[in-house]
Amino acid sequence: MPTGNCTYCNNEVELKLLKKCGACGGVMYCSKECQKLSWKLTHKYTCVPIVAPPGEEENFKHYGKIINSWQNVWKWRLDEFALMALDLANNPGKNITHCMWLEFAYTGQKDNLGKFKIYRGCIRTAEEVLAESPRLQIMRDPPPLIGKRIRYATVFHFEEEGKPRQSFLRARSWELPKSLEPWEDRPAGWDDVYEVIQALFGGVDEDEEDDEDDEDREEIVVVLPIEALFT
């Protein structure tokens, strides 16, 4: 029986019992109490109503389901990568100003291991991301939470025959762990972490992606529901 975790209390319950935020659709709760507590603590700062562009409703749902199924499997591992990439034990406060940025290319495979391949990645400043995507206010901590959260952004590129390339941006934020000591036998710093990411998710040759018709290709960028985890 499918299960999921409450965004606020992190309790694992049957998926059918979890209710999504009616505005952004990016967080789920096991009870009205958890929803109220989450709203007061954090979600009121990060909730962004999601509306599909005119004429893109079906694509929005179709690609959203593909991304959701993959992220439900891998988001915990990506959380770890984001934490290790900033190496906060040696760079305190970097979670306030920077975030991990990953771009994935859709392969068309159905299994969640090979569904997306890493296309590129880097560490970016939160302000730089906000300048490009002002709706991603999750990249800026509200006063009560400054320094208490960590976040990353993922971009999912889809390219299907006869259709324009479409890219979907999603951001995730959660409470910073109490202990920031480097984890034993785990990579620390962006270069080491990105090597692990490339090994896990394969790699897409950027030269192969950027073909000669790239300049004439229409690209659609849509911000999908923001996911925020606060335990």
Side-chain angles (χ1 to χ4, degrees), residues 54-92:
E56 291 295 325
E57 292 81 3
E58 290 304 315
N59 277 343
F60 195 84
K61 292 180 180 179
H62 171 66
Y63 292 124
K65 287 181 179 179
I66 293 174
I67 294 171
N68 283 339
S69 66
W70 185 86
Q71 275 204 316
N72 285 339
V73 172
W74 292 107
K75 62 183 177 182
W76 307 113
R77 182 62 63 85
L78 294 177
D79 287 355
E80 292 182 354
F81 289 149
L83 183 60
M84 293 185 290
L86 295 182
D87 191 15
L88 296 180
N90 295 311
N91 298 281

Side-chain angles (χ1 to χ4, degrees), residues 74-171:
W74 292 107
K75 62 183 177 182
W76 307 113
R77 182 62 63 85
L78 294 177
D79 287 355
E80 292 182 354
F81 289 149
L83 183 60
M84 293 185 290
L86 295 182
D87 191 15
L88 296 180
N90 295 311
N91 298 281
K94 196 172 183 178
N95 58 305
I96 301 174
T97 58
H98 292 74
C99 68
M100 181 177 73
W101 175 278
L102 298 176
E103 297 186 38
F104 293 93
Y106 181 55
T107 66
Q109 296 183 29
K110 293 184 178 181
D111 70 278
N112 280 315
L113 178 59
K115 185 175 291 184
F116 288 98
K117 286 190 175 184
I118 187 67
Y119 179 44
R120 61 166 67 97
C122 62
I123 298 296
R124 302 186 68 185
T125 67
E127 292 303 319
E128 180 183 14
V129 175
L130 269 171
E132 294 179 358
S133 304
R135 296 184 68 190
L136 288 184
Q137 289 302 312
I138 199 171
M139 288 293 165
R140 178 183 289 124
D141 287 336
L145 301 173
I146 292 177
K148 297 180 179 180
R149 300 190 301 176
I150 188 169
R151 79 276 294 159
Y152 63 88
T154 45
V155 181
F156 299 91
H157 299 292
F158 293 84
E159 188 166 5
E160 298 182 89
E161 187 174 353
K163 296 182 179 180
R165 184 196 306 184
Q166 301 190 66
S167 300
F168 297 83
L169 172 61
R170 185 172 285 191

Side-chain angles (χ1 to χ4, degrees), residues 164-214:
R165 184 196 306 184
Q166 301 190 66
S167 300
F168 297 83
L169 172 61
R170 185 172 285 191
R172 180 170 166 79
S173 173
W174 74 101
E175 189 176 359
L176 196 64
K178 294 180 180 179
S179 175
L180 297 180
E181 291 301 316
W183 297 340
E184 186 177 357
D185 298 326
R186 296 201 179 189
W190 171 247
D191 290 340
D192 290 341
V193 170
Y194 193 54
E195 284 186 11
V196 176
I197 292 173
Q198 288 180 307
L200 181 60
F201 297 113
V204 175
D205 189 331
E206 294 185 25
D207 292 333
E208 293 180 1
E209 289 290 307
D210 298 330
D211 57 39
E212 58 184 7
D213 297 324
D214 187 68

